[in-house]
């Protein structure tokens, strides 16, 4: 994943692979015609891990890590996840706002020098249905992140048997690695 090529992307497609005992995700660029483009990253998260951690690799051979995120704490409802590059250098962090998430899931993303982006489920009715009617937990959810009231990025879950997302980046200064980590985290961590 070349950082300059990645940083020029304004949209990504993320697809979950269904596997036993692990969550796997493919992050793809988007071609000018809107179709899925080249594989940019492959993520894997072990289910039922003692401390949440997701590593993103250059491809599904898992030979070259490119970034990752890891919980600071064990079993914390409002855990903070540090996002680092392959060398362990901090890129930023994200955390769930537990209190605000009781009705509508809310996350905060911080990138040094840029400030805090706050993302919340777009639809309160869908958020409430998903929480209080177990049989509707499959409903797609969409998140809009803003910084100072300005759109930063959005994550839209598409209908389908497998989880699929379209991520749109509106703020050019955002580190795409942080955006990708948050988007994968929404799927991997949302029900926690």
């Amino acid at each position: 994943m070349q950082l300059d090529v990645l940083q020029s992307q304004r949209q990504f497609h993320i697809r979950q692979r269904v596997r036993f005992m692990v969550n796997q995700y493919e992050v793809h660029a988007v071609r000018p015609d809107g179709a899925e483009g080249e594989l940019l990253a492959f993520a894997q998260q072990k289910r039922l891990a003692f401390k949440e951690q997701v590593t993103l690799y250059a491809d599904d051979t898992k030979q070259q890590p490119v970034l990752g995120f890891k919980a600071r704490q064990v079993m914390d409802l409002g855990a903070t996840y540090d996002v680092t590059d392959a060398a362990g250098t901090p890129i930023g962090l994200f955390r769930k706002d537990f209190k605000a998430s009781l009705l509508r899931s809310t996350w905060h993303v911080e990138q040094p020098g840029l400030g805090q982006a706050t993302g919340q489920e777009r639809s309160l009715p869908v958020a409430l249905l998903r929480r209080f009617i177990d049989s509707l937990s499959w409903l797609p959810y969409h998140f809009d992140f803003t910084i100072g009231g300005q759109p930063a990025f959005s994550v839209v879950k598409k209908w389908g048997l497998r989880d699929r997302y379209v991520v749109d980046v509106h703020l050019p200064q955002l580190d795409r690695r942080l955006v990708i980590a948050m988007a994968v985290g929404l799927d991997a961590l949302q029900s926690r």
Side-chain angles (χ1 to χ4, degrees):
M1 181 180 353
Q2 294 178 330
L3 191 53
D4 57 334
V5 172
L6 181 66
Q7 202 60 23
S8 70
Q9 302 294 313
R10 296 192 46 102
Q11 191 176 70
F12 303 98
H13 287 177
I14 299 178
R15 249 187 308 133
Q16 181 182 31
R17 290 182 181 177
V18 178
R19 299 290 187 265
F20 184 68
M21 294 307 291
V22 295
N23 285 329
Q24 294 180 336
Y25 303 90
E26 295 176 0
V27 180
H28 290 267
V30 178
R31 294 184 195 144
D33 65 359
E36 194 172 273
E38 69 177 299
L39 180 69
L40 297 171
F42 174 80
Q44 182 165 305
Q45 171 208 27
K46 291 182 182 177
R47 291 184 191 150
L48 306 173
F50 189 62
K51 192 171 187 179
E52 294 294 344
Q53 180 173 351
V54 175
T55 302
L56 287 90
Y57 301 91
D59 57 35
D60 61 2
T61 65
K62 299 184 279 185
Q63 299 298 310
Q64 181 185 357
V66 291
L67 69 122
F69 60 88
K70 184 176 183 177
R72 288 182 183 172
Q73 308 91 325
V74 176
M75 301 295 288
D76 184 1
L77 297 175
T80 297
Y81 298 86
D82 292 303
V83 182
T84 58
D85 67 12
T89 305
I91 296 170
L93 61 87
F94 62 87
R95 64 183 167 79
K96 189 169 190 176
D97 186 328
F98 179 74
K99 184 177 175 185
S101 295
L102 291 174
L103 292 178
R104 184 188 278 182
S105 292
T106 303
W107 292 82
H108 302 288
V109 180
E110 294 180 28
Q111 177 179 321
L114 195 57
Q116 178 176 278
T118 299
Q120 193 170 55
E121 283 183 271
R122 187 178 294 165
S123 171
L124 180 59
V126 169
L128 293 173
L129 286 171
R130 287 180 54 251
R131 279 160 183 71
F132 298 113
I133 303 174
D134 282 340
S135 62
L136 296 178
S137 62
W138 54 267
L139 283 172
Y141 47 85
H142 313 307
F143 281 82
D144 295 308
F145 288 80
T146 60
I147 297 177
Q150 298 299 313
F153 68 99
S154 61
V155 180
V156 175
K157 185 175 183 180
K158 296 297 191 179
W159 289 92
L161 296 176
R162 292 187 303 175
D163 292 343
R164 294 180 309 119
Y165 301 87
V166 174
V167 180
D168 285 300
V169 180
H170 310 293
L171 190 63
Q173 303 93 311
L174 273 171
D175 190 318
R176 303 314 192 259
R177 299 169 298 176
L178 185 58
V179 171
I180 289 169
M182 181 73 256
V184 169
L186 285 174
D187 187 89
L189 307 169
Q190 184 59 23
S191 61
R192 288 169 178 69

